[in-house]
Amino acid sequence: MNKVLIFDTTLRDGEQALKSSLSVREKLVIARALSKMKVDIIEAGFPVSSPGDFQSVSTIAESISDATICGLSRAVDKDIEVCAEAVNKAARPRIHTFIATSEIHASSKLRKSNDEILAMAIHAVKHARNLCGDVEFSCEDAGRTDPDLLCRVVEETIKAGAKTINIPDTVGYTVGYQFGDIIKNIFERVPNVDDAVISVHCHNDLGLGTANSVMAVLNGARQVECTVNGLGERAGNASLEEIVMILRTRKDIFNVETNINTKEISNTSRLVSHICGVPIQPNKAIVGANAFSHSSGIHQDGMLKNQSTYEIMTPESVGLDKNTLNLTSRSGRAVIQHRLANLGYEKDTYDMGKFYANFLALADKKGSVYDDDLEALMEIGSDVDESKYSLEYLNVSSGRGIIATSTVRVSDGDIILQEAATGDGPVDATYEAISRATGMVLEVVDYSLSGVTGGRDALGEVKLIVDYNGKRFHGHGSSTDIIEASAQAYINATNKVERNIKVEEVRKSKNK
Ligand SMILES: [Zn+2]
């Protein structure tokens, strides 16, 4: 069998690590995205843990038909019964029951002998099988379990009727080859191993969650438990997107496939990050903002000549439009020339030496340089005037039961423009008021607010992408007042649009 089943536990292991739990509706939104991405099994929650969790699992079971819907339960009759009740409306229900098998868990946590634990495991699997045709059994802390005992538990729980046996590295302690050997040992020593799918569930405490999971696949595991963006207890779980893209990109080594529609990876990752309130680090493999962006001048030059020089997988394969060549002071001339050609400026129409010097000056000042900056640089030279409008005054009233109202005063040179507006929240009201003052309505395509510093007096930074007549512009603003930061970002974007209008005029007059 060369199919690896993807078991997603974002809603169980991932959710239990969040600072606040997700609502039923939020979990359903994530479950739908997982189903669209074609994960094979969705672990929707731990039904006995709370009424909310029970309701989430049963709602997902009723609503999602493309994936197996699984609930977690301890090896306790009551847990298993509640779990069965939560998943039973699913088209394909599964009960996932577990008990710790390592010496340290058995003696300190459970205070049971090995024989007692084995008896409990067998009983739990049989009980679950009476309530559900598809039962998965996990040996918690398998990574630190005595190999003889582990083989015995695996053999007996398969006999008891478990169709999937999960071998978790619960504490993220094992190292690649060692975890691979644990799986290999099970295949060599458990006589009925072929009657079940061997699964793995690796944690990332030493940063090895993904590495250990793929070593297990190399040694025969055919189900991997993972989470979107690697969310999960402590340092998290093996990350779904990494597992899937490793198996796909290195098919030469693994020779296995998954059912995942990889083009849904980026969207799902963003959605999970947004709903869970956990940002993705920019350098995160596969889904980080920089995962496909090439900064070094040498790399950018290579990419333009042949994408494969620095690209092992395409951004399109994970659902991104195209990779981004991040234009900074490290970008070389060839890249700038390429970008300018895309904007319609052929290389014999300008002086590259002069342009490049201006570009570097701007890049040093701004960090990143976008298309509209390049155009402005091309048309109006190095002295880029970005600040037609500036915010002079802002007064916002908002709160529960109050219609958000914003009054702004914006200066345009010596002219003072003042307007007030209501809106759906203080930011919306402020944007409406600024639009009225400047007469320029921008469609906000993307809005993000992040704390630049920690603590309650944190400096908030707002980044915007706006659309004006089909063209996109960036805006940013920062302040200890987040509404003011939002207003500054909008005005910054408005100034860029104004500048672009000026650029267009200059270009037209040159063409005459
Ligand atoms: Zn876990």
Side-chain angles (χ1 to χ4, degrees):
M1 188 168 111
N2 70 347
K3 180 77 81 183
V4 171
L5 301 172
I6 297 297
F7 176 114
D8 180 280
T9 184
T10 306
L11 295 173
R12 203 277 300 164
D13 213 322
E15 204 254 4
Q16 78 192 33
L18 298 179
K19 290 197 176 96
S20 61
S21 53
L22 301 176
S23 69
V24 175
R25 200 193 65 85
E26 288 169 328
K27 284 192 175 184
L28 185 59
V29 171
I30 292 177
R32 284 194 205 286
L34 294 172
S35 158
K36 196 172 171 201
M37 189 163 62
K38 302 249 178 295
V39 307
D40 300 281
I41 302 107
I42 296 173
E43 185 162 61
F46 193 168
V48 84
S49 67
S50 74
D53 231 24
F54 180 91
Q55 214 211 320
S56 299
V57 176
S58 64
T59 305
I60 290 168
E62 276 177 67
S63 320
I64 305 283
S65 54
D66 292 351
T68 295
I69 306 300
C70 172
L72 184 68
S73 69
R74 287 171 302 179
V76 173
D77 285 2
K78 176 81 188 340
D79 279 32
I80 293 168
E81 287 151 21
V82 171
C83 183
E85 200 188 324
V87 296
N88 73 11
K89 286 194 185 119
R92 280 181 281 148
R94 175 182 291 188
I95 294 176
H96 178 191
T97 186
F98 71 96
I99 194 165
T101 49
S102 67
E103 171 60 27
I104 182 162
H105 279 244
S107 62
S108 335
K109 191 177 83 174
L110 303 170
R111 299 181 194 280
K112 304 261 187 237
S113 71
N114 288 349
D115 286 341
E116 283 171 310
I117 283 175
L118 181 60
M120 282 177 76
I122 294 169
H123 174 80
V125 170
K126 285 187 172 162
H127 190 55
R129 268 305 296 270
N130 285 333
L131 302 167
C132 182
D134 183 359
V135 172
E136 170 169 339
F137 175 76
S138 277
C139 315
E140 191 190 359
D141 205 18
R144 293 188 298 177
T145 297
D146 166 62
D148 292 340
L149 176 65
L150 190 61
C151 287
R152 225 173 113 207
V153 175
V154 171
E155 182 179 351
E156 293 301 326
T157 48
I158 293 174
K159 248 187 235 165
K163 290 186 175 168
T164 305
I165 301 293
N166 185 40
I167 308 296
D169 184 16
T170 307
V171 291
Y173 181 68
T174 61
V175 171
Y177 75 92
Q178 192 187 13
F179 193 64
D181 281 351
I182 291 174
I183 303 302
K184 192 171 162 204
N185 189 45
I186 289 171
F187 274 94
E188 282 172 359
R189 292 179 48 194
V190 175
N192 57 356
V193 69
D194 294 336
D195 297 340
V197 172
I198 299 299
S199 166
V200 293
H201 176 114
C202 297
H203 276 271
N204 208 29
D205 297 72
L206 293 172
L208 293 170
T210 296
N212 289 346
S213 302
V214 298
M215 283 307 289
V217 169
L218 266 188
N219 285 283
R222 286 296 176 266
Q223 175 180 291
V224 176
E225 303 196 359
C226 45
T227 59
V228 175
N229 301 338
L231 292 177
E233 279 287 308
R234 309 180 307 279
N237 287 57
S239 112
L240 180 147
E241 58 277 8
E242 292 172 11
I243 304 280
V244 169
M245 292 311 287
I246 289 170
L247 299 183
R248 182 184 149 123
T249 307
R250 298 312 307 271
K251 198 156 188 290
D252 56 325
I253 289 176
F254 295 95
N255 195 28
V256 290
E257 279 173 2
T258 71
N259 288 323
I260 298 295
N261 175 3
T262 60
K263 289 197 156 67
E264 290 296 327
I265 285 178
S266 286
N267 284 339
T268 312
S269 160
R270 261 197 304 262
L271 179 87
V272 167
S273 163
H274 181 71
I275 290 180
C276 297
V278 182
I280 303 166
Q281 72 192 64
N283 57 323
K284 166 80 178 64
I286 319 292
V287 293
N290 294 345
F292 292 94
S293 106
H294 303 267
S295 294
S296 137
I298 295 169
H299 290 204
Q300 291 186 349
D301 185 50
M303 282 288 293
L304 291 177
K305 286 170 181 151
N306 180 349
Q307 290 214 341
S308 311
T309 48
Y310 289 101
E311 195 171 82
I312 59 167
M313 57 195 159
T314 65
E316 289 86 357
S317 66
V318 296
L320 290 170
D321 284 348
K322 54 178 187 308
N323 60 9
T324 44
L325 298 172
N326 189 14
L327 295 187
T328 66
S329 55
R330 292 183 303 280
S331 300
R333 288 160 191 255
V335 178
I336 312 286
Q337 203 169 68
H338 178 79
R339 192 70 147 250
L340 285 170
N342 285 347
L343 293 170
Y345 299 99
E346 289 310 325
K347 64 173 182 227
D348 47 1
T349 61
Y350 58 92
D351 176 351
M352 187 58 194
K354 213 166 125 196
F355 186 88
Y356 192 62
N358 289 340
F359 167 84
L360 287 180
L362 184 65
D364 275 338
K365 202 169 91 190
K366 292 193 52 183
S368 288
V369 176
Y370 301 102
D371 284 357
D372 53 304
D373 296 316
L374 288 181
E375 288 183 317
L377 212 51
M378 186 59 91
E379 301 295 349
I380 29 189
S382 62
D383 186 26
V384 180
D385 172 26
E386 271 194 34
S387 43
K388 177 174 163 67
Y389 298 111
S390 58
L391 183 68
E392 301 293 331
Y393 170 90
L394 172 68
N395 183 9
V396 177
S397 76
S398 74
R400 198 177 163 83
I402 298 174
I403 295 171
T405 311
S406 175
T407 309
V408 300
R409 209 175 289 148
V410 175
S411 66
D412 175 7
D414 294 339
I415 308 162
I416 296 290
L417 307 156
Q418 182 173 312
E419 284 289 344
T422 59
D424 187 8
V427 173
D428 186 48
T430 300
Y431 286 1
E432 180 60 31
I434 297 171
S435 295
R436 286 183 191 176
T438 60
M440 185 114 43
V441 181
L442 313 180
E443 188 200 337
V444 177
V445 183
D446 198 57
Y447 172 99
S448 72
L449 167 67
S450 53
V452 179
T453 49
R456 281 171 58 167
D457 57 348
L459 196 62
E461 184 177 35
V462 171
K463 286 184 180 158
L464 287 183
I465 298 174
V466 301
D467 189 292
Y468 184 79
N469 281 348
K471 243 181 137 168
R472 293 199 165 184
F473 300 89
H474 294 256
H476 62 89
S478 52
S479 168
T480 49
D481 178 332
I482 57 175
I483 309 299
E484 190 190 327
S486 304
Q488 295 287 14
Y490 195 81
I491 287 182
N492 181 246
T494 306
N495 283 326
K496 295 216 176 131
V497 173
E498 273 292 341
R499 185 186 66 181
N500 187 256
I501 293 171
K502 211 172 1 167
V503 165
E504 296 289 339
E505 281 167 9
V506 172
R507 182 190 288 161
K508 267 186 210 144
S509 68
K510 275 185 188 167
N511 287 347
K512 264 178 198 162

